[in-house]
Amino acid sequence: MERTVAKSEDKLVDAQDFLPLLGTDHVEIYVGNAKQSAYYYQAAFGFHVVAYSGLETGNKQQTSYVLQQEKLRLVVTSALTPENPINAHLAKHGDGVKVLALWVDDATKSWEETTKRGAISVQEPTRYKDEFGEVVVSSIQTYGETIHKFVERKNYRGAFMPGFEAKSSSFEVKPIGLQYIDHCVGNVELGRMNEWVKFYEDVMGFGLLLTFDDKDISTEYTALMSKVVSNGNGYVKFPINEPAKGKKKSQIEEYIDFYHSAGVQHIAVATKDIIYTVSELRRRGVEFLEVPATYYEDLIERVGNIKEDVKILQDLNILVDRDDEGYLLQIFTKPVQDRPTMFFEIIQREGAKSFGKGNFKALFESIEREQANRGTL
Ligand code: FE2
């Protein structure tokens, strides 16, 4: 498995192994129209449809498309009936991440270990079978109305899980080099970051990897605080943000105003070739945050030598940061639905294990320009 593994010098404190995680299994997004969202993720992001559940498979409640690119799996789901609770979720939050599913060896033990440490159960361990074997699933609540689903699939060889049928994209899909989830960020309400960090430490056995305070992450107008928690092997990293007091409305507050609760702010996806990935995304109509040309003027002085041509990075608006172990290249999409809520980050790590702290100021000023356009600053 090619994953970023936390090293001891990352100050990973006290990560425990009562909840061994093999990685992220999938991310499920509730959307207004799964068919059209699936088209967006195929045409723009280069995912292949690999499985489907809906009326044709006997599911009269909801429609789901499972989309895959290398190790990255997204599920987009919408409701087929007015009574389906997905509708209430959509009315309140708009399109957004409902499930951060974690791949485990034992979904029963994962549920037992976390619920006995205080997790609120959403689904007790449940076995689903079909002709391809069995999948065991359990789930617990995390911030807002988001849940963690534990997925045990070692005895399964079907397309996704029972209830789904294998399906292919109906047109030629061109992948863009997206590989796996690097990290997944949650926005929580003012004053609740430490509570959720404690949840990941106590209930999930994660360790605290990094802390950013409002001195690291503030502009003239807005501020936020952030802590990054990671599981023991470093395969799963969850930065948690909370708004901090600034002169104007923080981007985290804007998110919470529109999402109407805590929730997933962005999914960072790894690529080996960010120039290719971002060129393709732009060509296919995906919009990104823009930083001013001045960002690139002293770039090499700030980050040292890099393999990439700065002119190309500037044309694509890709950001660069360096830490003790190397550098990283990153860029952030604009929100991918109507509300200013969830977005994607594309990240290429060249040794660096950090999160682009050196880019926070330029990025937040860029977000503030977007907020000003929306009238929400
Ligand atoms: Fe990120």
Side-chain angles (χ1 to χ4, degrees):
M1 297 270 310
E2 195 172 316
R3 300 277 192 179
T4 305
V5 179
K7 287 165 52 172
S8 53
E9 59 263 35
D10 281 331
K11 290 177 271 176
L12 188 56
V13 184
D14 287 342
Q16 290 173 46
D17 265 345
F18 60 79
L19 182 64
L21 301 177
L22 302 170
T24 304
D25 190 87
H26 64 272
V27 173
E28 183 171 16
I29 308 172
Y30 281 177
V31 296
N33 185 333
K35 186 175 217 167
Q36 290 190 2
S37 292
Y39 181 78
Y40 175 74
Y41 286 111
Q42 290 172 88
F45 280 75
F47 284 83
H48 281 102
V49 169
V50 295
Y52 170 81
S53 177
L55 291 174
E56 296 81 352
T57 69
N59 185 346
K60 295 186 166 51
Q61 299 305 310
Q62 60 204 61
T63 298
S64 295
Y65 289 81
V66 183
L67 299 137
Q68 184 142 6
Q69 190 163 171
E70 298 199 28
K71 296 187 178 82
L72 180 61
R73 190 154 48 197
L74 292 185
V75 181
V76 291
T77 296
S78 60
L80 288 168
T81 67
E83 305 77 36
N84 192 309
I86 291 170
N87 291 312
H89 198 277
L90 282 170
K92 182 174 176 186
H93 304 291
D95 287 12
V97 172
K98 176 62 180 179
V99 182
L100 292 173
L102 302 167
W103 179 28
V104 297
D105 234 2
D106 187 338
T108 305
K109 184 163 179 287
S110 300
W111 182 87
E112 287 167 358
E113 293 290 339
T114 50
T115 53
K116 96 178 173 204
R117 288 173 171 82
I120 297 167
S121 172
V122 175
Q123 184 185 13
E124 291 186 14
T126 311
R127 227 161 264 277
Y128 299 99
K129 290 185 185 179
D130 66 13
E131 70 262 44
F132 301 107
E134 66 163 36
V135 172
V136 187
V137 167
S138 61
S139 51
I140 60 169
Q141 196 72 51
T142 179
Y143 47 75
E145 290 191 75
T146 318
I147 67 171
H148 286 308
K149 196 175 260 192
F150 300 116
V151 182
E152 171 189 329
R153 50 172 73 258
K154 59 179 185 271
N155 298 315
Y156 195 68
R157 50 195 172 76
F160 181 56
M161 56 174 76
F164 286 76
E165 285 180 5
K167 186 178 173 77
S168 312
S169 294
S170 59
F171 63 101
E172 192 192 347
V173 167
K174 292 206 178 83
I176 57 165
L178 301 179
Q179 294 183 289
Y180 55 88
I181 292 181
D182 184 276
H183 60 275
C184 226
V185 181
N187 282 343
V188 303
E189 300 87 349
L190 182 67
R192 297 195 64 190
M193 175 181 67
N194 286 328
E195 184 185 317
W196 285 107
V197 168
K198 198 168 157 41
F199 167 86
Y200 281 104
E201 288 174 337
D202 295 352
V203 172
M204 310 265 298
F206 281 41
L208 181 65
L209 194 61
L210 283 169
T211 299
F212 304 105
D213 63 21
D214 51 352
K215 286 176 216 63
D216 295 318
I217 317 183
S218 72
T219 63
E220 188 185 348
Y221 294 127
T222 68
L224 66 87
M225 296 193 289
S226 188
K227 286 186 176 175
V228 183
V229 291
S230 169
N231 79 317
N233 60 19
Y235 291 174
V236 178
K237 293 190 206 76
F238 294 140
I240 313 275
N241 298 331
E242 75 168 43
K245 281 270 164 278
K247 278 190 206 158
K248 294 197 177 179
K249 183 180 278 189
S250 154
Q251 52 170 301
I252 312 303
E253 274 175 275
E254 185 200 36
Y255 174 100
I256 286 168
D257 283 356
F258 280 90
Y259 203 68
H260 293 277
S261 76
V264 172
Q265 180 208 39
H266 74 265
I267 300 166
V269 182
T271 172
K272 276 189 198 141
D273 185 354
I274 196 167
I275 289 174
Y276 172 70
T277 300
V278 173
S279 300
E280 280 299 306
L281 286 168
R282 284 191 181 279
R283 202 175 62 74
R284 300 173 189 197
V286 175
E287 297 175 307
F288 293 90
L289 291 178
E290 305 286 339
V291 294
T294 50
Y295 174 89
Y296 294 92
E297 284 169 8
D298 58 348
L299 181 69
I300 297 303
E301 283 159 52
R302 275 185 285 130
V303 303
N305 281 332
I306 54 174
K307 287 187 302 198
E308 294 74 15
D309 181 340
V310 174
K311 175 73 174 67
I312 295 173
L313 297 179
Q314 178 169 358
D315 288 346
L316 294 169
N317 239 268
I318 294 167
L319 310 179
V320 190
D321 195 24
R322 183 177 286 279
D323 65 21
D324 297 345
E325 295 175 85
Y327 67 97
L328 61 83
L329 303 125
Q330 64 184 169
I331 192 168
F332 296 81
T333 71
K334 290 187 181 178
V336 291
Q337 60 291 307
D338 302 316
R339 300 190 199 189
T341 49
M342 203 259 284
F343 58 88
F344 285 90
E345 172 182 351
I346 310 296
I347 183 165
Q348 178 181 340
R349 292 185 181 279
E350 293 294 330
K353 299 214 167 55
S354 51
F355 295 84
K357 178 174 152 178
N359 291 323
F360 288 167
K361 191 167 162 25
L363 268 173
F364 295 163
E365 285 169 352
S366 174
I367 293 172
E368 283 164 18
R369 288 191 291 276
E370 297 289 317
Q371 283 183 268
N373 279 337
R374 293 192 282 261
T376 60
L377 185 62

